[in-house]
Amino acid sequence: AKNQGKGRWSSYTPAMDQRGAEQARIAGDLRTALDTGQLHLVYQPIVDMNDGSLYGVEALIRWNHPDRGPIPPVDFIPAAERTGLIVPLGAWILAEACGQAVRWRRELGPAAPETVSVNVSARQLREAGFAAEVAAILRRTGLPARHLTVEVTETAVFDGGAALLELHALKALGVTVALDDFGTGHSSLGLLRTCPVDLLKVDKSFVDTVTHGGEHAVIAAALIDISNGLHLRAVAEGVETAEQAAELRRLGYRYAQGYHYARPLLPEALARRQVPQPAA
Ligand code: C2E
Ligand code: CA
Ligand code: CA
Ligand code: CA
């Protein structure tokens, strides 16, 4: 551990230096990746468990590095946040997802996902004029605001006034606001009163243990009660088994996302699933 006791932090280890250099290289490569089209988005369905219909999709970034192959977002989003590259990268992600949503609406009509959910990092949300930029992207792509959901973490919102201002401006546009990884942040539930949130994404960690019985399901049960009580929608994240889905439904969950339903998909694959297939 870095912390070597009260008030004593080691400032340097060769391993940290290596990690720093690695982060710097990733950040540099990412700039190139953004400029040369190495990045793309995949879309994971969010389903209505009542009837198995599609509620929406979450856009997730993918990086296929020419030398190193696929690099997962957890390995480069933090570097992008630290260097500030997340700001132009995030704008690209938003524009890409909104553009895709418009294409789906054109191609699939009523079978198109009702909402496309985009992850927005704390750094983006703090940027003055973020909501104005979202408004410009919606105008440019022609996507009505009601078809866009922005996913932010509790920590990002808790960050302070600037983030909250941007969220209120997004709400005023008609964009849906979702709290991501809900239950894992170190905010208080009081946040739900001050933050203009429409939807809670209940973290996978609570879904993982929901079938374990006894006290393991208590938090998942409490979170859906809070959500229903406040008239918010709730999505259970990372649902991997039919047993979890059944237990979540029993607790009162309606929306779910996870490998049990679908992995993140390329846009074409999602369109194929949504278009009624001719009988074989
Ligand atoms: P997240 O926003 O919580 O996204 C959900 C993650 O869980 C995704 O990982 C998704 O592929 C994965 N997942 C979905 N269902 C299941 C399941 O049933 N089981 C398991 N084990 N995993 C499941 P991914 O795509 O690797 O993204 C990881 C994180 O990276 C995201 O967590 C998000 O924080 C960040 N991220 C991804 N794309 C973006 C983006 O476009 N912008 C920003 N700012 N962050 C992103
Ligand atoms: Ca998310
Ligand atoms: Ca999440
Ligand atoms: Ca997560």
Side-chain angles (χ1 to χ4, degrees):
K2 271 192 301 180
N3 194 340
Q4 300 177 328
K6 198 167 193 271
R8 285 175 50 228
W9 293 80
S10 72
S11 55
Y12 177 86
T13 69
M16 278 172 66
D17 195 42
Q18 234 168 45
R19 223 179 308 135
E22 170 79 1
Q23 290 282 338
R25 189 166 67 231
I26 285 182
D29 281 9
L30 190 54
R31 177 79 250 184
T32 310
L34 182 58
D35 295 338
T36 61
Q38 295 167 22
L39 302 170
H40 69 276
L41 300 182
V42 288
Y43 298 88
Q44 187 175 31
I46 301 170
V47 304
D48 182 339
M49 291 189 282
N50 282 350
D51 57 6
S53 66
L54 186 72
Y55 162 72
V57 292
E58 177 178 4
L60 296 159
I61 191 152
R62 294 293 178 261
W63 179 8
N64 215 337
H65 192 286
D67 312 320
R68 300 202 266 168
I71 303 179
V74 290
D75 288 348
F76 66 86
I77 292 290
E81 282 170 352
R82 228 174 358 263
T83 56
L85 190 60
I86 193 71
V87 174
L89 175 60
W92 178 83
I93 292 167
L94 273 160
E96 190 72 11
C98 291
Q100 183 58 56
V102 168
R103 284 193 292 280
W104 277 326
R105 306 209 75 71
R106 215 165 29 225
E107 292 163 13
L108 305 175
E114 200 38 42
T115 190
V116 173
S117 214
V118 176
N119 291 287
V120 168
S121 81
R123 178 74 184 261
Q124 286 175 275
L125 196 60
R126 259 192 279 121
E127 199 82 355
F130 175 71
E133 170 145 38
V134 170
I137 290 170
L138 290 170
R139 250 194 330 273
R140 210 163 61 230
T141 56
L143 184 71
R146 65 175 182 282
H147 296 306
L148 176 65
T149 297
V150 158
E151 296 193 9
V152 297
T153 62
E154 293 164 274
T155 317
V157 179
F158 209 58
D159 220 36
L164 215 52
L165 246 134
E166 295 301 326
L167 280 187
H168 279 285
L170 285 172
K171 279 287 295 189
L173 290 174
V175 171
T176 300
V177 175
L179 272 191
D180 204 355
D181 304 339
F182 188 67
T184 61
H186 39 247
S187 65
S188 78
L189 290 173
L191 189 69
L192 293 177
R193 278 185 293 133
T194 52
C195 173
V197 57
D198 306 288
L199 189 153
L200 304 177
K201 297 197 77 175
V202 173
D203 193 71
K204 181 178 191 307
S205 54
F206 307 115
V207 171
D208 285 343
T209 55
V210 78
T211 52
H212 296 187
E215 53 196 33
H216 293 288
V218 167
I219 296 176
L223 293 179
I224 192 63
D225 288 346
I226 289 167
S227 169
N228 287 336
L230 294 173
H231 307 289
L232 305 175
R233 273 165 287 165
V235 173
E237 290 195 301
V239 179
E240 293 182 339
T241 69
E243 291 69 31
Q244 287 170 349
E247 184 59 16
L248 288 163
R249 291 200 65 185
R250 200 184 65 77
L251 293 176
Y253 283 83
R254 178 168 176 191
Y255 302 102
Q257 178 179 359
Y259 297 167
H260 173 61
Y261 295 100
R263 301 238 164 199
L265 302 166
L266 289 170
E268 310 80 68
L270 187 104
R272 269 198 305 277
R273 284 193 174 207
Q274 288 312 106
V275 171
Q277 297 296 307

